[in-house]
Amino acid sequence: MSTSTPAHQQVDELWAAVSHGDEIAATAVLLAALDDGLPAERVLIDVIAPVQQKVGEEWAANRITVAQEHAATAINDRALAALSHRYAAHTADARGKVLVACVDEEWHGLPARLVAEVLRLRGWRVDYLGAQVPTEHLIAHIHQTGPDLVALSSSIPTRLPLAHAAITAVQATGTPVLVGGAAFGPHGQYARLLGADAWAPDAASAADRLERSPLPRPVPAHQPIDDLPHLVDQEYTLVARTRTDLVRTVMGSLTDRFPAMADYTAAQRKRTAEDVAHIVDFLATALYVNDPDLYTRFLTWTAHVLTARGVPARSLIPALEILGEELKDFDRAAAVLRQATDHLTGAEQKNTTDPRTAS
C-alpha cells in the first residue's frame, strides 16, 4: 500500500512535535504514518532518522539549547517505543540472534535503537542493551546469551579507543562484530582500521549486509596494538594520560594569547575549558587512529559551532599553538596540530576575502 502523505510532510510534522516538546503529538504522527500505509521500516528510516539528524543540526547552529536537544531526543525515543508496539514485527529466531549495543561512554542510543528495530522487522531476534555498555558487562552478557553476532554503535569519534577494545574483546569470544555510527568515519575507514568484521552506514544497510551473507568468523584473539602498530611510539598514551595537565596549561596561557578571555564570565571560562578538553581528546583520538584529517574535520565543525554562538573561530588558533609548544617533541602530534592550524588559518583568511564562503 502506498501512503497518501509524503514522507517529507511527516518529517515536518514530527519535527514540529519534538521541537515543541509534545510527545503525544509526536507519537500520533508516527502512528498515523503507519496507519496511512507507510511501511514500518520506512517510518523508522525516512521519518524518525531525519528528524533526529535535524535535532543535532539545530543544536550545532545554536537554534536550540542542549536541554531542548535532549528533550527532543527523548521524545523521539519514546514515540519510537510506542510505534514498535503497534507494528507487527516478526521476532522469531529465523535469521539468528543479534546483540545490539552502544560502546562504553557512548550515550547516543537512538541510532542503535533504530538498528535494533529494523533488524527485528527483518526477522532477527534482537537483544538491545542500549547506551553506554561497559565492555566487561557486554562480554559477560555474550557468554550468558550466546548471540550469533554483535552490532556495536558509536557516534562520537573520541570513543574509538573504547570501541576498539570492545571489538577485540567480543571477537575473542568467537563472535563476529558489525559496527556503525558516525564515529567510524564517513566511509567506515575506522571500522576497517580497528578490525571490525563488517561496517554499515545506517540501519537499513546493516540489515542488508546481514541478509547478503553471514559475517566471517573473527580472527584469532589478538591485542589492539596488533591492528595499530603506530601506537608503539606512545604518543596516544602520553597525550591521553596528560589530558588534565594539557587542559590546565592551555587555559593558563590562553588569556595572554586571546585577550578577549579576560572579560569572560565564570560560566564562559568553564565552557572554554570544556572546549579545550574536547580539543585534547580529539587530538588523542587522531593519534590513536593515525589520521590527521579526523582532527581537522572536528576543528572545522567546532569552528562552525563557535561562530554560530558568536565566538570567533580564530579563538581556536591560540589553543592549538599552545598545544603545539607543549607537544613539540611529539612528531605525529605536532604534524596533526600543524595541519589543523593551517586549515583553520586558511579558512579564516578565505572567509575574510570572500564573504560568500562564510557558513
Side-chain angles (χ1 to χ4, degrees):
M1 180 190 299
S2 62
T3 177
S4 60
T5 305
H8 68 81
Q9 181 177 330
Q10 293 159 338
V11 168
D12 291 343
E13 292 172 354
L14 181 59
W15 167 250
V18 300
S19 62
H20 288 91
D22 193 336
E23 181 179 343
I24 294 175
T27 303
V29 169
L30 298 181
L31 296 180
L34 199 66
D35 292 340
D36 204 27
L38 190 65
E41 184 171 322
R42 301 318 326 159
V43 177
L44 296 169
I45 294 171
D46 295 340
V47 182
I48 296 176
V51 168
Q52 190 58 33
Q53 181 178 350
K54 184 176 177 64
V55 170
E57 292 170 350
E58 291 296 292
W59 171 84
N62 201 32
R63 289 190 285 265
I64 63 174
T65 67
V66 171
Q68 289 172 317
E69 178 204 11
H70 287 189
T73 299
I75 289 172
N76 232 356
D77 190 50
R78 291 195 294 271
L80 188 158
L83 177 73
S84 70
H85 292 298
R86 173 71 70 86
Y87 57 67
H90 175 55
T91 57
D93 198 6
R95 296 186 182 275
K97 182 177 181 180
V98 183
L99 190 159
V100 179
C102 294
V103 302
D104 197 7
E105 297 186 16
E106 175 58 69
W107 62 82
H108 294 89
L110 194 57
R113 179 70 183 275
L114 288 171
V115 170
E117 294 300 325
V118 170
L119 290 177
R120 283 194 182 102
L121 286 167
R122 299 282 190 99
W124 291 87
R125 182 181 172 195
V126 178
D127 194 359
Y128 174 63
L129 303 188
Q132 302 189 86
V133 181
T135 298
E136 62 270 26
H137 298 300
L138 176 67
I139 299 305
H141 196 74
I142 290 172
H143 286 305
Q144 292 168 358
T145 61
D148 296 299
L149 64 108
V150 170
L152 291 176
S153 175
S154 184
S155 298
I156 308 174
T158 52
R159 306 299 181 249
L160 285 174
L162 291 170
H164 193 194
I167 291 167
T168 304
V170 171
Q171 290 173 333
T173 71
T175 310
V177 181
L178 179 148
V179 300
F184 294 98
H187 306 292
Q189 61 267 40
Y190 305 129
R192 293 185 291 274
L193 182 71
L194 303 184
D197 299 295
W199 166 80
D202 52 50
S205 298
D208 291 343
R209 171 61 188 86
L210 296 181
E211 287 181 358
R212 285 198 301 272
S213 62
L215 294 188
R217 303 310 300 174
V219 298
H222 65 291
Q223 297 298 315
I225 197 171
D226 295 333
D227 300 321
L228 306 175
H230 57 266
L231 294 181
V232 72
D233 66 11
Q234 295 290 299
E235 288 200 21
Y236 160 74
T237 301
L238 292 170
V239 170
R241 285 180 178 174
T242 60
R243 172 187 186 270
T244 300
D245 292 336
L246 288 170
V247 172
R248 185 181 298 116
T249 298
V250 172
M251 288 299 296
S253 304
L254 201 51
T255 301
D256 292 336
R257 309 286 184 97
F258 187 63
M261 267 192 65
D263 297 324
Y264 276 17
T265 64
Q268 288 174 315
R269 290 188 66 84
K270 179 180 178 182
R271 181 55 188 269
T272 301
E274 292 171 351
D275 290 340
V276 171
H278 289 313
I279 288 171
V280 174
D281 288 341
F282 269 86
L283 174 60
T285 303
L287 294 173
Y288 191 86
V289 298
N290 200 29
D291 185 4
D293 290 341
L294 182 151
Y295 198 55
T296 299
R297 287 195 301 271
F298 160 70
L299 286 171
T300 301
W301 175 83
T302 300
H304 288 305
V305 171
L306 291 176
T307 299
R309 286 154 177 75
V311 179
R314 65 178 179 274
S315 63
L316 292 168
I317 304 300
L320 298 179
E321 291 174 344
I322 297 167
L323 280 175
E325 293 163 6
E326 289 297 305
L327 301 172
K328 62 181 183 296
D329 296 326
F330 291 56
D331 292 341
R332 288 199 296 127
V336 171
L337 289 164
R338 280 196 303 271
Q339 174 178 307
T341 301
D342 290 345
H343 179 82
L344 289 177
T345 302
E348 182 80 14
Q349 292 172 346
K350 186 176 181 181
N351 286 340
T352 299
T353 57
D354 186 0
R356 292 172 300 174
T357 63
S359 60

XYZ file of all heavy atoms in Angstrom, residues 137-231:
693
model
N 30.808 -5.851 30.911
C 29.422 -6.308 31.025
C 28.899 -6.828 29.681
O 28.098 -7.775 29.646
C 28.541 -5.180 31.545
C 28.922 -4.714 32.915
N 28.915 -5.546 34.012
C 29.338 -3.502 33.362
C 29.297 -4.876 35.083
N 29.566 -3.637 34.715
N 29.352 -6.225 28.607
C 28.990 -6.705 27.277
C 29.485 -8.137 27.082
O 28.737 -9.016 26.619
C 29.605 -5.786 26.215
C 29.414 -6.186 24.752
C 27.951 -6.074 24.360
C 30.281 -5.310 23.844
N 30.726 -8.386 27.462
C 31.302 -9.725 27.294
C 30.584 -10.739 28.183
O 30.287 -11.865 27.763
C 32.811 -9.708 27.605
C 33.531 -8.755 26.641
C 33.389 -11.107 27.513
C 33.291 -9.037 25.184
N 30.280 -10.347 29.412
C 29.552 -11.252 30.302
C 28.198 -11.620 29.703
O 27.764 -12.789 29.770
C 29.378 -10.605 31.673
N 27.526 -10.637 29.103
C 26.214 -10.893 28.502
C 26.340 -11.813 27.296
O 25.467 -12.664 27.059
C 25.574 -9.562 28.096
C 24.108 -9.662 27.840
N 23.167 -9.792 28.834
C 23.412 -9.688 26.671
C 21.958 -9.866 28.316
N 22.083 -9.806 26.989
N 27.401 -11.672 26.535
C 27.624 -12.564 25.395
C 27.768 -14.007 25.872
O 27.179 -14.935 25.310
C 28.872 -12.115 24.605
C 28.593 -10.802 23.875
C 29.306 -13.202 23.608
C 29.821 -10.183 23.241
N 28.529 -14.199 26.934
C 28.721 -15.556 27.457
C 27.405 -16.137 27.990
O 27.170 -17.342 27.902
C 29.770 -15.543 28.566
C 31.179 -15.374 28.061
N 31.741 -16.202 27.124
C 32.134 -14.457 28.372
C 32.985 -15.823 26.872
N 33.260 -14.763 27.612
N 26.545 -15.267 28.510
C 25.277 -15.740 29.070
C 24.243 -16.054 27.997
O 23.424 -16.961 28.159
C 24.716 -14.680 30.023
C 25.529 -14.493 31.299
C 25.109 -13.255 32.075
O 24.231 -12.503 31.650
N 25.733 -13.024 33.213
N 24.261 -15.304 26.889
C 23.171 -15.399 25.919
C 23.571 -16.004 24.582
O 22.702 -16.431 23.822
C 22.554 -14.010 25.681
O 23.572 -13.137 25.154
C 22.013 -13.421 26.980
N 24.851 -15.991 24.236
C 25.321 -16.628 23.008
C 24.738 -16.088 21.715
O 24.187 -16.857 20.912
N 24.866 -14.780 21.441
C 24.352 -14.249 20.169
C 25.172 -14.745 18.983
O 26.333 -15.149 19.126
C 24.519 -12.729 20.338
C 25.684 -12.594 21.270
C 25.546 -13.738 22.241
N 24.558 -14.712 17.795
C 25.275 -15.088 16.579
C 26.235 -13.990 16.145
O 27.237 -14.267 15.476
C 24.281 -15.370 15.450
C 23.400 -16.562 15.770
O 23.948 -17.665 15.935
O 22.179 -16.382 15.891
N 25.914 -12.743 16.477
C 26.793 -11.629 16.156
C 26.452 -10.446 17.058
O 25.384 -10.419 17.684
C 26.676 -11.229 14.691
C 25.313 -10.696 14.227
C 25.376 -9.206 13.960
C 24.847 -11.433 12.991
N 27.360 -9.487 17.111
C 27.165 -8.282 17.914
C 27.232 -7.075 16.993
O 28.124 -6.970 16.141
C 28.244 -8.164 19.013
C 28.189 -6.794 19.695
C 28.073 -9.274 20.043
N 26.274 -6.157 17.142
C 26.276 -4.893 16.408
C 26.569 -3.770 17.405
O 25.811 -3.579 18.363
C 24.926 -4.658 15.734
N 27.673 -3.074 17.185
C 28.103 -2.007 18.088
C 27.942 -0.654 17.405
O 28.301 -0.489 16.235
C 29.566 -2.195 18.494
C 29.890 -3.385 19.399
C 31.394 -3.485 19.616
C 29.161 -3.256 20.725
N 27.442 0.322 18.164
C 27.204 1.659 17.635
C 28.015 2.691 18.409
O 28.156 2.603 19.635
C 25.715 2.005 17.731
O 25.472 3.341 17.338
N 28.549 3.672 17.675
C 29.214 4.806 18.320
C 29.114 6.018 17.407
O 29.389 5.922 16.207
C 30.679 4.503 18.627
O 31.272 5.574 19.336
N 28.717 7.144 17.988
C 28.575 8.379 17.227
C 29.731 9.347 17.436
O 29.962 10.222 16.604
C 27.260 9.079 17.611
O 26.144 8.278 17.309
N 30.439 9.231 18.553
C 31.475 10.194 18.921
C 32.850 9.603 18.642
O 33.209 8.565 19.220
C 31.364 10.575 20.405
C 29.936 11.031 20.734
C 32.366 11.669 20.767
C 29.707 11.278 22.207
N 33.657 10.212 17.781
C 34.963 9.645 17.445
C 35.888 9.430 18.632
O 36.712 8.512 18.607
C 35.553 10.676 16.469
C 34.351 11.294 15.820
C 33.333 11.377 16.921
N 35.767 10.244 19.681
C 36.656 10.051 20.827
C 36.395 8.737 21.553
O 37.180 8.348 22.424
C 36.522 11.217 21.825
O 35.145 11.421 22.146
C 37.099 12.499 21.247
N 35.329 8.041 21.191
C 35.067 6.723 21.772
C 35.737 5.600 20.979
O 35.598 4.426 21.333
C 33.559 6.448 21.841
C 32.749 7.523 22.553
C 33.167 7.693 23.998
N 32.356 8.701 24.659
C 32.797 9.894 25.057
N 34.073 10.223 24.883
N 32.001 10.750 25.648
N 36.464 5.929 19.926
C 37.067 4.890 19.098
C 38.038 3.985 19.857
O 38.029 2.765 19.627
C 37.761 5.516 17.875
C 36.814 6.010 16.769
C 37.593 6.747 15.693
C 36.023 4.854 16.162
N 38.879 4.503 20.750
C 39.725 3.565 21.516
C 38.901 2.569 22.327
O 39.240 1.377 22.391
C 40.553 4.494 22.417
C 40.645 5.770 21.642
C 39.290 5.908 20.987
N 37.805 3.027 22.924
C 36.929 2.120 23.663
C 36.227 1.151 22.710
O 36.037 -0.030 23.034
C 35.899 2.915 24.458
C 36.442 3.720 25.644
C 35.366 4.656 26.183
C 36.942 2.797 26.740
N 35.845 1.647 21.549
C 35.219 0.772 20.559
C 36.196 -0.308 20.114
O 35.814 -1.477 19.951
C 34.760 1.596 19.352
N 37.446 0.062 19.932
C 38.461 -0.914 19.524
C 38.609 -2.015 20.574
O 38.664 -3.210 20.245
C 39.793 -0.197 19.310
C 40.819 -1.030 18.613
N 42.142 -0.690 18.574
C 40.718 -2.207 17.922
C 42.812 -1.593 17.890
N 41.971 -2.522 17.480
N 38.660 -1.598 21.836
C 38.764 -2.589 22.914
C 37.552 -3.513 22.921
O 37.682 -4.736 23.124
C 38.906 -1.879 24.254
N 36.361 -2.951 22.684
C 35.147 -3.768 22.674
C 35.148 -4.737 21.499
O 34.791 -5.918 21.642
C 33.918 -2.868 22.620
N 35.537 -4.259 20.316
C 35.592 -5.123 19.133
C 36.517 -6.311 19.386
O 36.171 -7.469 19.137
C 36.067 -4.316 17.908
C 35.004 -3.297 17.485
C 36.388 -5.251 16.743
C 35.508 -2.255 16.505
N 37.710 -5.999 19.905
C 38.697 -7.052 20.151
C 38.197 -8.049 21.187
O 38.358 -9.268 21.029
C 40.023 -6.423 20.623
O 40.467 -5.471 19.652
C 41.094 -7.477 20.809
N 37.567 -7.537 22.245
C 37.076 -8.422 23.306
C 35.936 -9.305 22.816
O 35.874 -10.502 23.140
C 36.622 -7.587 24.506
N 35.022 -8.737 22.033
C 33.914 -9.537 21.505
C 34.441 -10.619 20.573
O 34.021 -11.784 20.634
C 32.894 -8.637 20.777
C 31.862 -9.485 20.037
C 32.197 -7.708 21.764
N 35.357 -10.252 19.702
C 35.913 -11.235 18.765
C 36.634 -12.365 19.500
O 36.647 -13.502 19.019
C 36.854 -10.538 17.788
C 36.123 -9.639 16.801
C 37.071 -8.826 15.947
O 38.196 -8.523 16.361
N 36.625 -8.447 14.761
N 37.223 -12.041 20.657
C 37.908 -13.073 21.433
C 36.948 -14.144 21.936
O 37.374 -15.253 22.267
C 38.651 -12.438 22.606
N 35.643 -13.841 21.976
C 34.643 -14.846 22.352
C 34.230 -15.704 21.157
O 33.392 -16.597 21.301
C 33.376 -14.175 22.931
O 32.664 -13.503 21.877
C 33.720 -13.195 24.034
N 34.768 -15.397 19.985
C 34.382 -16.114 18.772
C 33.167 -15.536 18.089
O 32.615 -16.153 17.174
N 32.746 -14.331 18.490
C 31.543 -13.695 17.953
C 31.927 -12.584 16.982
O 32.704 -11.691 17.349
C 30.692 -13.094 19.083
O 30.506 -14.078 20.100
C 29.342 -12.628 18.572
N 31.404 -12.582 15.756
C 31.726 -11.513 14.813
C 31.049 -10.191 15.192
O 30.020 -10.183 15.874
C 31.203 -12.037 13.474
C 30.153 -13.031 13.828
C 30.553 -13.631 15.146
N 31.635 -9.096 14.722
C 31.185 -7.765 15.101
C 30.894 -6.923 13.866
O 31.747 -6.774 12.981
C 32.253 -7.037 15.952
C 31.754 -5.652 16.365
C 32.619 -7.868 17.179
N 29.690 -6.361 13.824
C 29.320 -5.349 12.844
C 29.249 -4.021 13.576
O 28.671 -3.944 14.663
C 27.971 -5.681 12.210
C 27.412 -4.702 11.176
C 26.603 -5.451 10.122
C 26.521 -3.628 11.820
N 29.844 -2.962 13.002
C 29.820 -1.659 13.658
C 29.182 -0.619 12.752
O 29.124 -0.779 11.533
C 31.241 -1.192 14.066
C 31.882 -2.175 15.027
C 32.126 -0.969 12.841
N 28.706 0.454 13.373
C 28.132 1.554 12.628
C 28.054 2.788 13.492
O 28.255 2.730 14.704
N 27.767 3.911 12.849
C 27.706 5.176 13.570
C 28.757 6.139 13.057
O 29.772 5.737 12.474
N 28.525 7.422 13.290
C 29.390 8.466 12.747
C 30.827 8.351 13.222
O 31.751 8.802 12.542
C 28.827 9.838 13.117
N 31.060 7.753 14.395
C 32.418 7.663 14.926
C 33.345 6.906 13.991
O 34.559 7.169 13.965
C 32.405 6.986 16.296
N 32.820 5.976 13.216
C 33.665 5.109 12.409
C 34.032 5.708 11.058
O 34.641 5.036 10.227
C 32.989 3.749 12.228
C 32.872 2.994 13.522
C 31.683 3.004 14.244
C 33.958 2.311 14.045
C 31.575 2.330 15.450
C 33.861 1.635 15.251
C 32.666 1.652 15.964
N 33.719 6.992 10.870
C 34.117 7.689 9.663
C 33.052 7.666 8.599
O 32.214 6.757 8.553
N 33.083 8.654 7.703
C 32.033 8.749 6.674
C 32.016 7.568 5.719
O 30.994 7.292 5.087
C 32.382 10.057 5.937
C 33.816 10.329 6.258
C 34.042 9.778 7.627
N 33.120 6.855 5.599
C 33.178 5.697 4.706
C 33.541 4.420 5.455
O 33.935 3.426 4.834
C 34.179 5.956 3.587
C 33.931 7.224 2.836
N 32.830 7.402 2.022
C 34.628 8.403 2.805
C 32.864 8.627 1.509
N 33.931 9.235 1.963
N 33.433 4.453 6.774
C 33.739 3.279 7.565
C 35.212 2.965 7.674
O 35.594 1.846 8.035
N 36.059 3.951 7.408
C 37.501 3.686 7.384
C 38.045 3.258 8.748
O 38.969 2.432 8.827
C 38.274 4.906 6.876
C 38.144 6.184 7.692
C 37.043 7.094 7.196
O 35.964 6.629 6.822
N 37.301 8.399 7.213
N 37.451 3.773 9.826
C 37.956 3.401 11.147
C 37.441 2.020 11.571
O 38.081 1.338 12.366
C 37.598 4.461 12.178
C 38.071 5.839 11.767
C 37.204 6.929 11.778
C 39.369 6.045 11.311
C 37.621 8.184 11.369
C 39.784 7.295 10.893
C 38.910 8.362 10.918
O 39.326 9.596 10.507
N 36.319 1.613 11.022
C 35.839 0.251 11.285
C 36.841 -0.760 10.751
O 37.190 -1.742 11.418
C 34.474 0.038 10.638
N 37.309 -0.533 9.531
C 38.306 -1.437 8.948
C 39.617 -1.371 9.716
O 40.248 -2.399 9.986
C 38.512 -1.083 7.473
C 37.292 -1.357 6.599
C 37.578 -1.097 5.143
N 37.769 0.331 4.860
C 36.763 1.160 4.598
N 35.514 0.713 4.600
N 36.990 2.435 4.342
N 40.026 -0.167 10.079
C 41.285 0.010 10.796
C 41.272 -0.732 12.126
O 42.274 -1.331 12.534
C 41.537 1.501 11.035
C 42.833 1.878 11.741
C 44.027 1.644 10.830
C 42.789 3.328 12.201
N 40.144 -0.712 12.806
C 40.046 -1.321 14.133
C 39.680 -2.802 14.080
O 39.481 -3.424 15.120
C 39.029 -0.562 14.981
C 39.304 0.935 15.162
C 38.286 1.562 16.102
C 40.717 1.196 15.663
N 39.580 -3.349 12.898
C 39.416 -4.790 12.761
C 38.011 -5.321 12.875
O 37.816 -6.530 13.092
N 36.985 -4.463 12.735
C 35.606 -4.960 12.770
C 35.370 -5.905 11.599
O 35.982 -5.778 10.533
C 34.619 -3.802 12.713
N 34.461 -6.843 11.780
C 34.175 -7.818 10.738
C 33.290 -7.253 9.634
O 33.272 -7.778 8.514
C 33.516 -9.052 11.361
C 34.430 -9.715 12.382
O 35.495 -10.214 11.980
O 34.094 -9.696 13.584
N 32.550 -6.189 9.936
C 31.721 -5.532 8.928
C 31.352 -4.145 9.439
O 31.399 -3.866 10.640
C 30.459 -6.343 8.627
N 30.966 -3.273 8.494
C 30.533 -1.910 8.817
C 29.316 -1.587 7.971
O 29.182 -2.068 6.834
C 31.649 -0.906 8.503
C 31.192 0.526 8.474
C 30.976 1.343 9.535
C 30.881 1.313 7.312
N 30.547 2.586 9.115
C 30.483 2.604 7.755
C 30.897 1.068 5.936
C 30.117 3.615 6.883
C 30.517 2.085 5.055
C 30.139 3.337 5.536
N 28.417 -0.781 8.535
C 27.251 -0.316 7.788
C 26.997 1.142 8.138
O 27.113 1.533 9.304
C 26.020 -1.153 8.117
N 26.647 1.970 7.164
C 26.443 3.400 7.423
C 25.116 3.732 8.085
O 24.959 4.817 8.647
C 26.527 4.026 6.032
C 26.084 2.935 5.105
C 26.590 1.659 5.724
N 24.132 2.823 8.017
C 22.828 3.107 8.603
C 22.097 1.792 8.885
O 22.598 0.702 8.577
C 21.989 4.001 7.676
C 21.893 3.451 6.259
O 21.557 2.262 6.110
O 22.155 4.204 5.308
N 20.919 1.924 9.461
C 20.182 0.737 9.901
C 19.799 -0.178 8.738
O 19.945 -1.398 8.816
C 18.929 1.161 10.674
N 19.292 0.408 7.656
C 18.887 -0.416 6.517
C 20.084 -1.130 5.901
O 19.998 -2.312 5.531
C 18.186 0.440 5.461
N 21.209 -0.420 5.802
C 22.414 -1.039 5.243
C 22.913 -2.165 6.136
O 23.425 -3.173 5.642
C 23.515 0.020 5.071
O 23.107 1.029 4.169
N 22.779 -1.996 7.454
C 23.177 -3.063 8.375
C 22.347 -4.321 8.127
O 22.873 -5.435 8.047
C 23.024 -2.598 9.815
N 21.034 -4.140 8.000
C 20.157 -5.288 7.750
C 20.455 -5.922 6.391
O 20.477 -7.155 6.256
C 18.699 -4.846 7.828
N 20.699 -5.077 5.382
C 21.020 -5.594 4.048
C 22.311 -6.411 4.086
O 22.402 -7.476 3.458
C 21.176 -4.448 3.054
C 19.864 -3.741 2.752
O 18.803 -4.317 3.038
O 19.926 -2.610 2.222
N 23.312 -5.897 4.817
C 24.600 -6.607 4.881
C 24.423 -7.987 5.518
O 24.994 -8.978 5.052
C 25.613 -5.784 5.677
C 26.926 -6.516 6.007
C 27.656 -6.933 4.755
N 28.799 -7.793 5.055
C 28.732 -9.105 5.207
N 27.556 -9.735 5.099
N 29.821 -9.805 5.453
N 23.631 -8.064 6.562
C 23.447 -9.339 7.245
C 22.608 -10.311 6.422
O 22.723 -11.523 6.583
C 22.802 -9.116 8.610
C 23.647 -8.314 9.606
C 22.922 -8.182 10.929
C 25.023 -8.947 9.801
N 21.780 -9.784 5.527
C 20.985 -10.650 4.666
C 21.806 -11.234 3.522
O 21.501 -12.320 3.022
C 19.788 -9.879 4.099
C 18.699 -9.615 5.129
C 17.515 -8.864 4.537
O 17.580 -8.527 3.334
O 16.549 -8.613 5.266
N 22.856 -10.522 3.110
C 23.645 -10.995 1.970
C 24.398 -12.282 2.294
O 24.417 -13.215 1.501
C 24.634 -9.913 1.521
C 24.004 -8.777 0.762
C 25.041 -8.002 -0.021
N 26.088 -7.443 0.813
C 26.018 -6.259 1.397
N 24.931 -5.514 1.250
N 27.024 -5.800 2.129
N 25.034 -12.310 3.454
C 25.826 -13.484 3.824
C 26.194 -13.381 5.293
O 26.226 -12.276 5.864
C 27.102 -13.572 2.972
O 27.930 -12.441 3.204
N 26.484 -14.509 5.933
C 26.915 -14.457 7.334
C 28.228 -13.688 7.462
O 29.047 -13.662 6.534
C 27.103 -15.936 7.699
C 26.342 -16.694 6.663
C 26.395 -15.884 5.418
N 28.417 -13.050 8.604
C 29.692 -12.379 8.846
C 30.796 -13.423 8.986
O 30.564 -14.520 9.504
C 29.626 -11.535 10.118
C 28.689 -10.330 10.108
C 28.896 -9.500 11.373
C 28.899 -9.467 8.881
N 31.991 -13.097 8.531
C 33.107 -14.045 8.694
C 33.419 -14.259 10.162
O 33.185 -13.384 10.995
C 34.264 -13.349 7.971
C 33.916 -11.886 8.025
C 32.419 -11.833 7.921
N 33.946 -15.425 10.479
C 34.344 -15.670 11.860
C 35.517 -14.775 12.201
O 36.362 -14.477 11.357
C 34.736 -17.136 12.063
C 33.653 -18.127 11.686
C 32.311 -17.800 12.294
N 32.346 -17.787 13.755
C 31.319 -17.419 14.518
N 30.193 -17.002 13.949
N 31.428 -17.443 15.824
N 35.607 -14.314 13.436
C 36.681 -13.397 13.811
C 38.056 -14.037 13.689
O 38.212 -15.259 13.751
C 36.367 -13.078 15.282
C 34.941 -13.454 15.485
C 34.676 -14.578 14.538
N 39.037 -13.158 13.514
C 40.425 -13.621 13.519
C 40.761 -14.118 14.913
O 40.075 -13.789 15.886
C 41.375 -12.481 13.121
C 41.081 -12.004 11.712
C 41.267 -11.311 14.104
N 41.806 -14.920 15.038
C 42.176 -15.393 16.381
C 42.411 -14.238 17.342
O 42.730 -13.114 16.932
C 43.474 -16.173 16.119
C 43.382 -16.585 14.687
C 42.652 -15.475 13.983
N 42.260 -14.525 18.625
C 42.410 -13.490 19.647
C 43.729 -12.747 19.477
O 44.773 -13.349 19.244
C 42.330 -14.118 21.035
N 43.670 -11.425 19.573
C 44.853 -10.604 19.416
C 44.706 -9.346 20.250
O 43.641 -9.078 20.816
C 45.069 -10.246 17.948
C 43.987 -9.373 17.371
N 42.696 -9.818 17.161
C 43.997 -8.085 16.958
C 41.965 -8.858 16.645
N 42.726 -7.781 16.517
N 45.756 -8.573 20.331
C 45.747 -7.339 21.105
C 45.448 -6.157 20.181
O 45.796 -6.185 18.992
C 47.103 -7.130 21.790
C 47.457 -8.195 22.804
C 46.464 -8.245 23.940
O 46.069 -7.217 24.494
N 46.034 -9.457 24.290
N 44.816 -5.090 20.724
C 44.530 -3.922 19.888
C 45.746 -3.374 19.165
O 45.649 -2.921 18.023
C 43.956 -2.915 20.898
C 43.298 -3.769 21.932
C 44.202 -4.964 22.066
N 46.922 -3.403 19.814
C 48.109 -2.829 19.171
C 48.506 -3.596 17.921
O 49.208 -3.078 17.051
C 49.282 -2.731 20.178
C 50.350 -1.759 19.643
C 49.848 -4.119 20.455
C 51.420 -1.425 20.647
N 48.040 -4.853 17.809
C 48.336 -5.616 16.595
C 47.695 -4.969 15.371
O 48.206 -5.087 14.254
C 47.831 -7.056 16.732
C 48.567 -7.826 17.821
O 49.733 -7.484 18.110
O 47.972 -8.760 18.388
N 46.550 -4.300 15.561
C 45.878 -3.598 14.466
C 46.516 -2.244 14.191
O 46.428 -1.729 13.076
C 44.392 -3.378 14.795
C 43.637 -4.668 15.014
O 43.913 -5.627 14.283
O 42.792 -4.705 15.922
N 47.131 -1.645 15.210
C 47.625 -0.267 15.124
C 49.091 -0.207 15.561
O 49.411 0.289 16.650
C 46.776 0.653 16.015
C 45.259 0.612 15.776
C 44.540 1.478 16.797
C 44.924 1.082 14.365
N 50.008 -0.669 14.733
C 51.411 -0.700 15.148
C 52.009 0.670 15.424
O 53.005 0.767 16.145
C 52.106 -1.387 13.961
C 51.166 -1.265 12.809
C 49.796 -1.272 13.406
N 51.379 1.738 14.886
C 51.919 3.080 15.150
C 51.822 3.470 16.626
O 52.509 4.388 17.069
C 51.196 4.123 14.294
C 49.713 4.145 14.498
N 48.843 3.431 13.712
C 48.940 4.784 15.400
C 47.606 3.630 14.115
N 47.632 4.452 15.156
N 50.983 2.775 17.391
C 50.851 3.107 18.813
C 52.120 2.823 19.603
O 52.241 3.245 20.761
C 49.679 2.335 19.432
C 48.278 2.693 18.927
C 47.231 1.861 19.646
C 47.993 4.178 19.103
